[in-house]
Amino acid sequence: MIELDESPTMVTVGASLFADALSAQVASPLQVQWAPPVPGSDADLAVIAADGRTHAASAESVRRLTAASPRWVDVVPAREALGLGPREFLHAGPPVAWADASGPIRGALAGAMIYEGLAENFEEAGRIAAQGGISLEPCHSRSAVGPMAGVVSASMPVSVIEDEENGRRAYCTLNEGLGKVLRYGAYSPEVIDRLRWLERVLAPLLGATLRKRGPVDVRSLIAQALQMGDECHNRNRAATSLLLREITPDMLESGARSEDIVAAFRFINGNDHFFLNLSMPAGKVAADAGRDIPGSTMVVAMARNGTEFGIQVSGTGDEWFTAPAPPVKGLYFPGFGPEDAGLDIGDSTITETTGIGGFAMATAPAIVLFVGGDVSDALENTLRMYEITLAEHPFYKVPILGFRGTPTGIDATLVVRSGVLPAVNTGIAGREPGVGQVGAGLVVPPMSVFVDAARALARRAAPQGAPGRSESRNQ
Amino acid sequence: MIELDESPTMVTVGASLFADALSAQVASPLQVQWAPPVPGSDADLAVIAADGRTHAASAESVRRLTAASPRWVDVVPAREALGLGPREFLHAGPPVAWADASGPIRGALAGAMIYEGLAENFEEAGRIAAQGGISLEPCHSRSAVGPMAGVVSASMPVSVIEDEENGRRAYCTLNEGLGKVLRYGAYSPEVIDRLRWLERVLAPLLGATLRKRGPVDVRSLIAQALQMGDECHNRNRAATSLLLREITPDMLESGARSEDIVAAFRFINGNDHFFLNLSMPAGKVAADAGRDIPGSTMVVAMARNGTEFGIQVSGTGDEWFTAPAPPVKGLYFPGFGPEDAGLDIGDSTITETTGIGGFAMATAPAIVLFVGGDVSDALENTLRMYEITLAEHPFYKVPILGFRGTPTGIDATLVVRSGVLPAVNTGIAGREPGVGQVGAGLVVPPMSVFVDAARALARRAAPQGAPGRSESRNQ
């Protein structure tokens, strides 16, 4: 008989290979292996590299982004929070006119017009919109973000996210749940009825709960959820669970009608994506903290409207760099296939912009069952993103990588220089208005938007030691 | 400008090494590298190997264990569920007398006697117990399990877990929360008051909720929690969250007093270990399904009482094989150190016995912050356990290992043959009665209990093709 004084050592070759490979990578920084820069971009990259401001400006951008402390403080009507007029509508992605709008955006706009009492049906809404009877603006232009079509109208309630560091605010609608929903371009009566329930029952209850309990620390919830298998873009099951634990006691004591409280709990409980509409504005308020620093090459927005994919960069203000929206490679719901799919859409890429979502897929291996691929893809996505980012997030950690911070703060010039594009996972909307979600998958952003951003950064670059060439920060 | 049609391939050496190592191990079974058997056990192992029943019997044991479908069906007083008389007490681990009982068991027994009105204080309880005024029995002997001291008395409410496959039941007390609690040997008035609240408020509310909603599928909750960073022994944050989501709507509609419902929600919400007292009886009812199969070498119980560590094996009935309880290596709470620690204690090793807990640590890398070690230890613990187990669990999966089933069903002869001991993580109780929890860590079971079990199996072995030598299954 033998008694061991301590834990026996490894006895399998395979296991130790795995553990060794892991420890080696956890213990030391990844070796960086540059690919040649995108042809034609060398001159721009050289000018930016010679700009004495670049390094410090980008470092300050990502410092501000990662220092943000987003808190959920209230739920109020969009007309109040965003100053939206009765005929003003926001949408996801870079600017787009009705004539160029994708099916999901048209469907969602029509639904929002019906909801606001501006139209009776899709056809009437389309006529009014085509005649310029409504005004369209990106969510991003009003400190807001919207998943998928991202349509916001005056009566819709929005969550208010406040950065405790600097008082800045960002906004997002409440998540409507699954199935036929406005954000995927559906506009049937059940969709409109649900929007009214959100406005009349859920929003006042959540607002009252938050005012009673005080702010919910969204950064802490994301940090915990990343240790519980979420990446907080397409997997939010842990975060939604933790959120319910945070708010339920005060919801119960809010003084609201008991049947409304039960309905609210069941509604949130029935939709694991509920938290997405908080992780998105949490990202927005953090990314906005890093905006408008002359010389900074950090991406502060990536967003798509189903027609175009666009980015904004800190050093180039509100300018959008756009290219045609790419298709999504993924898994389809039963009854749908690639021929039913719209192009890439939504502001939810704000998650990747701020170090979670596709950038944190190593925290969420189970997500491959939803978006496709296998577990090693999830790990590789995260590891690859360290190549193009400015920092490792101080609060968002990847347990399986030895609690390394998630790769955070995309450097547009590193993307161009390395040829590595941001890893994005996403839902897939039906291409026609009215259909809804048809699947989920992975998308590769167009390289040209990063090349164009580098060109614009180069145009504004200051010679070494001199101030920047550009007078105005907004074009 | 270049546009990529598909995702770029890996650009880092380190990353691809990691992914390759992972995929290689996920894709093909681990190479098995036998160590020499424990000296002196060769003859027993040879006899068992020659027993024609062994292979099929062990396979049937683990088939029954992994087919179990544990559901939480009710909460009722222990006197009803377990037939406990007013002076009958259950405790964790193998049988122990008061004279040999560890500090935590003495403290918890005294607390339970005070709670039952049999004694006024610790000293009086000790005198009564020492004079044989109470009877002691292991939880395991009444289809129950108890964490740490595991003391159960007649008035305590217990959860009823029913295996939907075969109707078998197992029982466990409600988790009392953190800090000074009976299960860690504390017996102060706050401990007794909380036990009364559990009995008078929480238990009736949970019972009413379960009878209203129907059973909670505990197997499904464990399966999901393993994809959310729990291993369901020392980390139950995801499982407790999912449990709250399951029961809250019906709790709200149970007709109970609103303030009791809020108090119940806050109580469960305040204690991420609440689910442990469901994962344990879920393991118990599954392990019991694999019991009492002649020739089976599968371990059906591992349990400790702070004095001894004991196991039971399917082919040897209710016989306990015991050895002195080992110390725990781990992390201590502020103000405590190894000199304050009691020896290994509790029935919670039923989780490891059934393929979760220390066996599923690869699902819960964040647990190393609680029990010590680093992330590669968590992975290695799980990988090493495939060496000594009979099956990969069909419902409990490890995402990071490509959704491989957890290593399940310890084969006592494989332990002896390979020298690999079960990986166990655990809380650490203070050595003195009344102290409570002082830390958490990892423990290495004594090899001798597996050697002794192999000897007993060999004694009962049948020559090839002949029936077993042993007439009675219970010794």
Side-chain angles (χ1 to χ4, degrees), chain B residues 99-164:
Chain B
D100 303 318
S102 58
I105 295 253
R106 287 181 178 220
L109 280 171
M113 290 170 73
I114 296 167
Y115 163 69
E116 295 289 355
L118 298 180
E120 289 287 330
N121 52 45
F122 180 79
E123 291 67 27
E124 186 187 355
R127 277 195 304 274
I128 295 172
Q131 292 160 1
I134 59 172
S135 82
L136 294 178
E137 213 179 332
C139 292
H140 269 290
S141 67
R142 299 240 190 166
S143 302
V145 277
M148 305 310 293
V151 167
V152 186
S153 66
S155 303
M156 292 182 189
V158 293
S159 284
V160 182
I161 299 285
E162 186 171 285
D163 179 356
E164 205 190 22

Side-chain angles (χ1 to χ4, degrees), chain A residues 1-2 11-12 14 18-19 22 25 33 224 237 241 245 253 266 269 272 375 379-380 387 399 447-448, chain B residues 1-2 11-12 14 18-19 22 25 33 224 237 241 245 253 266 269 272 375 379 387 399 447-448:
Chain A
M1 172 199 332
I2 284 183
V11 295
T12 64
F18 176 72
L22 181 66
Q25 290 164 66
Q33 184 180 323
Q224 293 178 68
R237 182 153 175 72
S241 304
R245 291 177 65 170
E253 293 176 338
R266 286 194 196 273
N269 196 24
D272 281 328
V375 170
L379 287 164
E380 286 186 4
E387 304 283 335
M447 177 58 86
S448 71
Chain B
M1 175 201 328
I2 285 181
V11 293
T12 64
F18 177 70
L22 181 66
Q25 290 164 66
Q33 185 179 322
Q224 293 178 68
R237 182 152 174 73
S241 303
R245 291 178 66 171
E253 294 177 338
R266 287 193 196 274
N269 195 24
D272 281 329
V375 171
L379 287 163
E387 304 282 335
M447 177 58 86
S448 71

Side-chain angles (χ1 to χ4, degrees), chain B residues 105-327:
Chain B
I105 295 253
R106 287 181 178 220
L109 280 171
M113 290 170 73
I114 296 167
Y115 163 69
E116 295 289 355
L118 298 180
E120 289 287 330
N121 52 45
F122 180 79
E123 291 67 27
E124 186 187 355
R127 277 195 304 274
I128 295 172
Q131 292 160 1
I134 59 172
S135 82
L136 294 178
E137 213 179 332
C139 292
H140 269 290
S141 67
R142 299 240 190 166
S143 302
V145 277
M148 305 310 293
V151 167
V152 186
S153 66
S155 303
M156 292 182 189
V158 293
S159 284
V160 182
I161 299 285
E162 186 171 285
D163 179 356
E164 205 190 22
E165 281 295 297
N166 59 22
R168 189 188 298 266
R169 291 182 160 202
Y171 309 92
C172 188
T173 50
L174 297 174
N175 195 291
E176 311 159 76
L178 309 175
K180 294 244 172 190
V181 287
L182 193 80
R183 72 180 182 282
Y184 278 97
Y187 52 80
S188 56
E190 71 187 279
V191 174
I192 310 302
D193 286 349
R194 194 185 305 110
L195 291 177
R196 294 202 204 293
W197 181 82
L198 293 177
E199 175 189 336
R200 291 170 190 171
V201 177
L202 187 62
L205 174 54
L206 292 176
T209 299
L210 289 168
R211 291 187 292 272
K212 176 178 184 300
R213 84 180 288 291
V216 170
D217 183 343
V218 180
R219 181 175 74 184
S220 165
L221 293 182
I222 293 173
Q224 293 178 68
L226 295 180
Q227 306 205 357
M228 296 170 71
D230 284 358
E231 40 69 86
C232 294
H233 181 175
N234 274 289
R235 193 171 156 104
N236 283 289
R237 182 152 174 73
T240 299
S241 303
L242 296 177
L243 181 72
L244 271 170
R245 291 178 66 171
E246 282 288 321
I247 63 174
T248 297
D250 290 291
M251 205 157 75
L252 294 178
E253 294 177 338
S254 65
R257 297 191 320 162
S258 170
E259 54 266 44
D260 289 343
I261 294 170
V262 174
F265 189 96
R266 287 193 196 274
F267 178 80
I268 299 173
N269 195 24
N271 170 22
D272 281 329
H273 294 292
F274 190 83
F275 187 80
L276 173 64
N277 289 43
L278 297 177
S279 70
M280 284 177 55
K284 173 65 177 166
V285 86
D288 278 359
R291 271 185 183 261
D292 295 328
I293 300 183
S296 169
T297 58
M298 189 180 81
V299 175
V300 294
M302 293 196 291
R304 320 86 94 198
N305 55 34
T307 304
E308 288 190 313
F309 186 112
I311 66 171
Q312 295 178 313
V313 174
S314 177
T316 53
D318 296 336
E319 186 174 3
W320 285 100
F321 305 99
T322 64

Side-chain angles (χ1 to χ4, degrees), chain A residues 365 375, chain B residues 26 223 226-227 355 359-364 379 382-383 386 393 395-407:
Chain A
V375 170
Chain B
V26 167
L226 295 180
Q227 306 205 357
F359 284 47
M361 279 180 72
T363 67
L379 287 163
T382 292
L383 290 167
Y386 290 108
H393 203 289
F395 299 104
Y396 301 158
K397 306 282 192 177
V398 187
I400 198 65
L401 299 180
F403 300 96
R404 189 173 181 187
T406 63

